Amino acid sequence: MGGLGAPRALLASLAGLLLACGGQETLDDAVLDARPPEQTSLDALAVDPGSRDTAAKDARDADKALPGADTQLLFGGWPWPAKTPAVGLALEVENGVGTPLRVQKGATFFINQIDIRSFVTATRDQGLRNLIAQSDFGGLGWLGVRQVDQESVGAPGPYTRRRYYRDAAWMNLPSHFIVEPVDSRGRLTGLPILLNAGTEHQRRAGLDDFFIRRFRGIQTATGCATPDDCSTSTSFEEEAILELRNAYEHAQRQTLTLRSDTRALRLRWSLRPAAPYEIPVEQVVDGRYTYGFRIGVEALTPPRPDGTYAPGTEISFQLTLRDGAGNRLHPQGYLPPYNQVAPDGTDSGVQYYRAFFDATATYYRRKHRERMLMTQIIGPAQHIQPIRSIVPLEAFLDPAVDEQVIATPERDGVFAQFATLPFANVLFGGAFVDPSLWNLPNTDTWQFKLPDNAQPGTYLVTVKGRRAWLGEDLPATTTLEIQVGTRQRTQPKLTTGPCTSCHSKGGELGTVLHANDNRAACAGCHAPLAFELEGPIFVRTHFIHSRSNRFDAPLQQCSSCHLTKESIQRTSKAACLSCHKSYPDSHVAQFGPIESMYVGGGAESFQQCTGACHTRHPGSGL
């Protein structure tokens, strides 16, 4: 957007959109009333060089606190984006009401996340009928909506069943958002920005503005007698969810610098032209912290003189959570009690696991809001592979066990251990056994014990977490390498890639998900849990890419990601049915019906079916 021509073109486009969309304010109210008195047309909003000094003086008189020494003043005193790095804002709306937003005064922002949710409750199973009739999403157009997946959790019962719906008309219509900074009277205080939401069926051609785009209808039934029988349930929630995350690079260049009289962001959605959302904004000055998020991890137990650890050694590790300027977000040696953090975090932005309050579901529902703080060790690197041994719920509840061993060399061909922070016996023990555990202070230190038969090589210690502070919702991951039994560094042998052919320009692995671009460091945390069997990374990758319209290669073409023929020849329910939605009747008779949309069945889903069948995949390219 160089010079004045581009801003004028953008404003003209926005003017046309505002006229077409209507809303609570007409264009005259929203734009023309914000002009200096001498301006009488839209053309006058493009300040010519001769009047720029006068406009700047008027703006300084009206607003002494315009941010940034490099800020240019255009459009009657509206601030042009400063040269300082912009911060990604996360906007939220629930049942038509914008979640109040506190931001750091003087910062420059782009929109990195939009979460809009609408829900109603019912006592009978009526699909999405009540949502369509009663919610603020009701008038969007639901023709064509259909159930595409279903999953139940809660064994041995009672069960919670979730049904997922797609293809409603509104999900397949191109739409856009306009974000307008406004004052207490609803008048513009800066340039609006235009964001293209695309459609459910739009591919990855870069024609929209967000790498992750999810439009959903969901029905949740609780108290079901069996995974499939909810006839006795009297508790149903019907919801519509829109998730836009991870702005592409070109969208990040559309920025907002809020004037001191900005009191809200008005969020106009082209599918709801007469009813814009309003998100209250409070600008604060917080000298204790800055935007950004860093995780540090160090080994407190020193290695041997040669720099290696011996098999059987118990190693203490400590994390440090910091903001972008390096300020500590917690005292050394201490993490706050769970009840002081969940569900909304601390003043410093520290977050813990919060799915107890806001249920998540891989791909379909708000997984980014889970915000687990977690650590793992896996190795040796040359033997890293998916873990298929199931971690029972009891392992999370045992008060004597803080760190869970999830893979052993004998059973899994690799060693792995993980720990949630706070420890799982506090997180899940407080939820299901003793609520007082959530009042206890926690530690930033933990221990991983190498097995006595630990094979020599490089072991990866990873910590991942998420910080939500003054409008920024940011993941971070860091990995520390330690040497066990040898000084020779060993490397993983990955059988998939390259992810960068799709994950780029704002959707890099180092930005999305956990902000982790070291794929070898995923398997240690991503093991199948008894209450979340879809944990393994191969299950999640298959499931997400088979459901997402972002992935535009033929699904049968395994060579799009797999590098070797051998890498697609370990067949199991979990491997096959995380991508396929059905299998032949002969398989149903032999292996049972499909019971899980993620892995096909239960614990047996990770066992290898046979070494004699499925040595080839039609159309695989391998």
Side-chain angles (χ1 to χ4, degrees), residues 469-484:
W469 184 77
L470 293 189
E472 182 182 53
D473 190 350
L474 197 63
T477 295
T478 190
T479 295
L480 171 72
E481 293 186 355
I482 63 171
Q483 293 299 126
V484 177

Side-chain angles (χ1 to χ4, degrees), residues 8-28 30-31 42 174-180 192-197 209 254 268-274 276:
R8 288 187 63 178
L10 174 61
L11 192 60
S13 298
L14 291 174
L17 290 169
L18 291 172
L19 284 170
C21 293
Q24 291 178 341
E25 297 82 11
T26 65
L27 179 64
D28 288 341
V31 177
L42 279 174
S175 69
H176 57 264
F177 287 90
I178 301 173
V179 182
E180 305 169 342
I193 61 175
L194 175 66
L195 299 168
N196 185 352
D209 287 334
Q254 297 190 66
R268 298 183 184 270
W269 187 15
S270 60
L271 298 186
R272 289 168 43 96

Side-chain angles (χ1 to χ4, degrees), residues 405-524:
V405 174
I406 61 170
T408 64
E410 303 87 350
R411 185 185 65 202
D412 306 283
V414 68
F415 169 72
Q417 191 174 7
F418 70 43
T420 66
L421 298 169
F423 295 134
N425 49 36
V426 172
L427 282 181
F428 294 88
F432 302 117
V433 180
D434 181 4
S436 68
L437 294 173
W438 282 3
N439 295 320
L440 299 177
N442 298 290
T443 180
D444 60 8
T445 304
W446 67 95
Q447 291 77 40
F448 287 142
K449 186 179 187 303
L450 299 171
D452 294 335
N453 62 342
Q455 299 171 61
T458 302
Y459 285 62
L460 309 182
V461 179
T462 301
V463 182
K464 67 101 172 176
R466 202 167 186 105
R467 183 189 187 211
W469 184 77
L470 293 189
E472 182 182 53
D473 190 350
L474 197 63
T477 295
T478 190
T479 295
L480 171 72
E481 293 186 355
I482 63 171
Q483 293 299 126
V484 177
T486 178
R487 296 178 61 184
Q488 181 66 42
R489 184 175 183 268
T490 59
Q491 298 186 38
K493 301 173 182 177
L494 300 179
T495 60
T496 57
C499 300
T500 52
S501 59
C502 296
H503 285 271
S504 61
K505 298 181 180 179
E508 293 84 357
L509 293 181
T511 299
V512 302
L513 306 172
H514 308 313
N516 178 23
D517 58 5
N518 185 344
R519 292 187 293 125
C522 295

Side-chain angles (χ1 to χ4, degrees), residues 31-183:
V31 177
L32 299 184
D33 280 359
R35 301 172 302 171
E38 69 274 15
Q39 294 180 340
T40 58
S41 69
L42 279 174
D43 285 341
L45 287 172
V47 182
D48 61 51
S51 63
R52 193 174 297 173
D53 293 339
T54 300
K57 182 179 184 302
D58 291 343
R60 285 193 298 270
D61 291 342
D63 187 350
K64 299 294 186 182
L66 280 173
D70 295 327
T71 300
Q72 299 180 27
L73 298 176
L74 297 175
F75 299 97
W78 294 345
W80 191 253
K83 295 179 181 179
T84 54
V87 174
L89 279 185
L91 308 183
E92 298 180 20
V93 177
E94 185 153 312
N95 277 344
V97 179
T99 301
L101 190 65
R102 300 177 74 242
V103 301
Q104 184 83 1
K105 185 177 178 64
T108 299
F109 305 98
F110 66 91
I111 306 303
N112 195 48
Q113 186 172 301
I114 298 176
D115 274 307
I116 302 179
R117 175 178 180 255
S118 183
F119 71 94
V120 299
T121 58
T123 58
R124 294 188 297 124
D125 186 352
Q126 295 179 288
L128 300 179
R129 184 174 301 174
N130 298 287
L131 178 78
I132 296 170
Q134 302 172 21
S135 77
D136 62 320
F137 269 45
L140 294 183
W142 288 85
L143 186 66
V145 68
R146 63 189 181 94
Q147 180 185 327
V148 294
D149 272 314
Q150 174 178 307
E151 185 78 350
S152 294
V153 296
Y159 292 86
T160 295
R161 183 195 70 194
R162 290 191 179 88
R163 288 176 169 169
Y164 302 98
Y165 298 81
R166 301 177 76 170
D167 288 333
W170 69 268
M171 302 176 188
N172 297 322
L173 285 173
S175 69
H176 57 264
F177 287 90
I178 301 173
V179 182
E180 305 169 342
V182 296
D183 64 14

Side-chain angles (χ1 to χ4, degrees), residues 302-419:
R304 297 181 295 188
D306 66 352
T308 70
Y309 291 94
T313 303
E314 183 174 75
I315 308 173
S316 292
F317 296 91
Q318 187 172 44
L319 67 79
T320 306
L321 306 178
R322 300 182 185 272
D323 66 17
N327 300 307
R328 272 189 162 274
L329 303 180
H330 60 98
Q332 184 173 2
Y334 170 87
L335 289 174
Y338 186 80
N339 270 337
Q340 290 184 15
V341 177
D344 296 320
T346 65
D347 289 343
S348 66
V350 171
Q351 298 284 317
Y352 293 156
Y353 178 77
R354 62 187 303 277
F356 302 122
F357 312 98
D358 190 359
T360 63
T362 296
Y363 181 64
Y364 277 123
R365 193 181 192 283
R366 293 186 152 186
K367 199 65 176 173
H368 64 295
R369 296 168 65 94
E370 193 172 81
R371 296 173 180 165
M372 174 77 82
L373 181 61
M374 193 171 186
T375 180
Q376 61 120 55
I377 185 172
I378 190 168
Q382 70 272 21
H383 293 160
I384 288 177
Q385 59 187 291
I387 295 168
R388 299 176 175 88
S389 299
I390 297 173
V391 185
L393 178 60
E394 292 75 19
F396 285 76
L397 299 176
D398 188 343
V401 177
D402 294 333
E403 303 90 1
Q404 286 71 39
V405 174
I406 61 170
T408 64
E410 303 87 350
R411 185 185 65 202
D412 306 283
V414 68
F415 169 72
Q417 191 174 7
F418 70 43

